[in-house]
Amino acid sequence: MLQRLYDWVDERLDITPLWRDIADHEVPEHVNPAHHFSAFVYCFGGLTFFIIVIQFLSGMFLTMYYVPDIVNAYESVKYLQGEVAFGMIVRGMHHWGASLVIVMVFLHTLRVFFTGAYKKPRELNWVVGVLMFFLLLGLGFTGYLLPWDMKAYFATVVGLQIAESVPVIGDLAKTLLAGDPEIIGAQTLTRFFAIHVFFLPGALLGLLAVHFIMIRRQGIAGPL
Amino acid sequence: MVSEKNHNVSRRQFLTYTLTGVGGFMAAGMILPMARFAIDPVLQSAGAGDMNAVADVSELTEEPQRFDFSYEQVDGWYTSEVTETAWIYQEGDNITALSPTCTHLGCTVNWNSNESYQNQFFCPCHGGRFEKNGTNVPGTPPTEPLHKYEIEVRDGTVYLGKANPQI
């Protein structure tokens, strides 16, 4: 049944080369943990992506209950975590996943560094990777405020003070982030929400695509 | 009929220029409103700092006293009443109003609250201390004096504005 459905579509749209190009390629021996167990270090990039996918999904579902408004934000988080079935699990996925992404990115970076995979011709991919690391830090920073509890609020107070301490453009950067020169309040929360949910994930998706396309173009770096 | 050769700009170039120009205008037309929308908080003129009536001059002493005052804070669409505290004292004609926010990590200082440190502001969090005029005591965590409120005295009433750093 499924096969016939696939054939029906394939006959019309010729989709086989499409997925073959993406999925049907050999994994070199030196990156395959089935051959050398130590090659598991080559999995960290994929694991990072896997967790990012979890972050995207759990985040999408969290917004079914969350409201980015200073009156209701905390209560909505409390509700979705405490009252909604599996709320604690879904929020937990997003909460712990956020830290795990950073851990995985770090391990992935170490592997790329110590195998020298960043060297010519793959320098650009390293640069894109570092940009994505900054995006992830930004996602962590903006997401941290959203529950709008004491910890979230004061972490953001400190974070914005750090932004403010930048020479010359500090005040500007802070106002731009907080939405107000002095108050960290209603406008800050909506801004951080927009940045966390739309701007940074959008940029991240774009860079992920670039990252992966470059890998397919250049292939995985050779064995040590 | 002027021949093609006499034109300085070829048809192809003309098309490229006009299409790029039109495309540029269209892109700008899309991006400009959004960019202006996003940076609005930076460009909004800072409202003239409101002064709030806090105390009567007759209440003031040479000893710093605690005065709480409330005002309406407008945060975009959200208006709320905010309460702030000032430590105010008068020496001769000079009135000084200090912010109670410790310049170390933002806890709240109190005047004369620690028996070991008479006539100083003391912060319970990390033992930060300040002299009466707000100067931080060397060797304690704070790195700058307590912030000072802008002061205005009208008809025997003390009005306070924003608290600004002393240095």
Side-chain angles (χ1 to χ4, degrees):
Chain A
M1 177 60 203
L2 269 179
Q3 184 61 45
R4 287 182 53 204
L5 197 70
Y6 176 86
D7 289 341
W8 190 89
V9 176
D10 194 40
E11 194 185 340
R12 271 142 256 257
L13 295 170
D14 194 23
I15 57 174
T16 302
L18 264 178
W19 70 257
R20 278 261 161 87
D21 202 37
I22 294 168
D24 195 19
H25 60 109
E26 248 176 70
V27 178
E29 189 183 320
H30 72 284
V31 303
N32 189 342
H35 286 273
H36 315 283
F37 180 67
S38 61
F40 72 85
V41 293
Y42 285 90
C43 295
F44 291 142
L47 288 172
T48 307
F49 179 63
F50 176 62
I51 297 168
I52 288 175
V53 169
I54 292 179
Q55 293 304 96
F56 267 103
L57 291 176
S58 57
M60 282 160 60
F61 281 96
L62 284 175
T63 57
M64 286 183 166
Y65 295 92
Y66 178 76
V67 268
D69 160 55
I70 56 173
V71 178
N72 295 302
Y74 177 78
E75 289 301 325
S76 73
V77 172
K78 199 174 159 193
Y79 178 83
L80 77 85
Q81 179 174 343
E83 306 289 324
V84 181
F86 287 89
M88 202 189 278
I89 304 283
V90 176
R91 172 145 192 254
M93 287 160 72
H94 207 70
H95 174 100
W96 295 106
S99 299
L100 211 51
V101 166
I102 304 292
V103 172
M104 283 300 163
V105 162
F106 182 65
L107 293 174
H108 176 55
T109 310
L110 284 183
R111 189 235 97 202
V112 170
F113 182 76
F114 284 113
T115 57
Y118 57 88
K119 291 175 186 172
K120 190 185 175 189
R122 288 172 243 276
E123 308 98 319
L124 271 180
N125 224 0
W126 173 273
V127 171
V128 170
V130 172
L131 290 179
M132 283 195 290
F133 175 61
F134 290 143
L135 286 184
L136 290 171
L137 291 185
L139 280 160
F141 177 59
T142 49
Y144 207 79
L145 177 69
L146 301 186
W148 200 248
D149 54 12
M150 280 293 166
K151 194 169 68 164
Y153 176 82
F154 282 102
T156 303
V157 169
V158 173
L160 290 176
Q161 277 171 354
I162 295 172
E164 204 177 3
S165 70
V166 174
V168 189
I169 58 159
D171 285 335
L172 195 84
K174 192 220 164 180
T175 309
L176 211 50
L177 279 169
D180 189 282
E182 270 140 43
I183 308 164
I184 295 173
Q187 302 184 85
T188 316
L189 186 59
T190 49
R191 259 174 194 258
F192 272 46
F193 179 74
I195 294 170
H196 184 79
V197 170
F198 293 108
F199 289 80
L200 295 181
L204 186 63
L205 275 182
L207 288 188
L208 278 173
V210 174
H211 207 62
F212 295 157
I213 289 168
M214 282 202 270
I215 294 169
R216 289 313 306 275
R217 257 228 123 69
Q218 302 179 318
I220 294 168
L224 291 175
Chain B
M1 280 286 270
V2 188
S3 84
E4 186 87 5
K5 284 171 197 162
N6 293 340
H7 292 287
N8 289 326
V9 178
S10 71
R11 278 162 200 262
R12 186 174 294 263
Q13 267 179 324
F14 175 77
L15 268 178
T16 311
Y17 292 160
T18 42
L19 287 180
T20 312
V22 170
F25 268 110
M26 283 169 68
M30 282 195 296
I31 289 165
L32 202 79
M34 295 189 282
R36 180 61 183 81
F37 184 81
I39 62 169
D40 191 55
V42 176
L43 297 175
Q44 266 179 18
S45 57
D50 282 340
M51 304 292 274
N52 304 292
V54 176
D56 281 338
V57 176
S58 58
E59 296 174 88
L60 302 181
T61 57
E62 287 205 355
E63 176 107 355
Q65 280 177 287
R66 181 189 166 134
F67 291 95
D68 292 338
F69 60 103
S70 301
Y71 58 93
E72 285 224 318
Q73 185 190 61
V74 181
D75 175 16
W77 56 91
Y78 185 75
T79 309
S80 58
E81 187 164 285
V82 176
T83 302
E84 274 189 55
T85 299
W87 288 91
I88 313 181
Y89 66 90
Q90 184 174 25
E91 270 175 339
D93 280 343
N94 279 332
I95 298 174
T96 309
L98 295 169
S99 154
T101 306
C102 184
T103 54
H104 174 223
L105 288 175
C107 290
T108 306
V109 301
N110 272 305
W111 172 254
N112 236 347
S113 59
N114 189 310
E115 284 178 13
S116 315
Y117 306 113
Q118 295 288 327
N119 295 321
Q120 284 187 338
F121 290 101
F122 180 76
C123 178
C125 288
H126 310 94
R129 279 145 55 202
F130 303 86
E131 306 288 357
K132 181 176 163 185
N133 64 3
T135 311
N136 49 312
V137 175
T140 65
T143 52
E144 60 163 310
L146 290 174
H147 291 190
K148 226 178 198 167
Y149 281 102
E150 293 165 2
I151 289 195
E152 216 177 279
V153 180
R154 266 180 276 147
D155 305 327
T157 305
V158 180
Y159 291 82
L160 297 187
K162 266 169 50 178
N164 297 316
Q166 294 202 43
I167 47 168

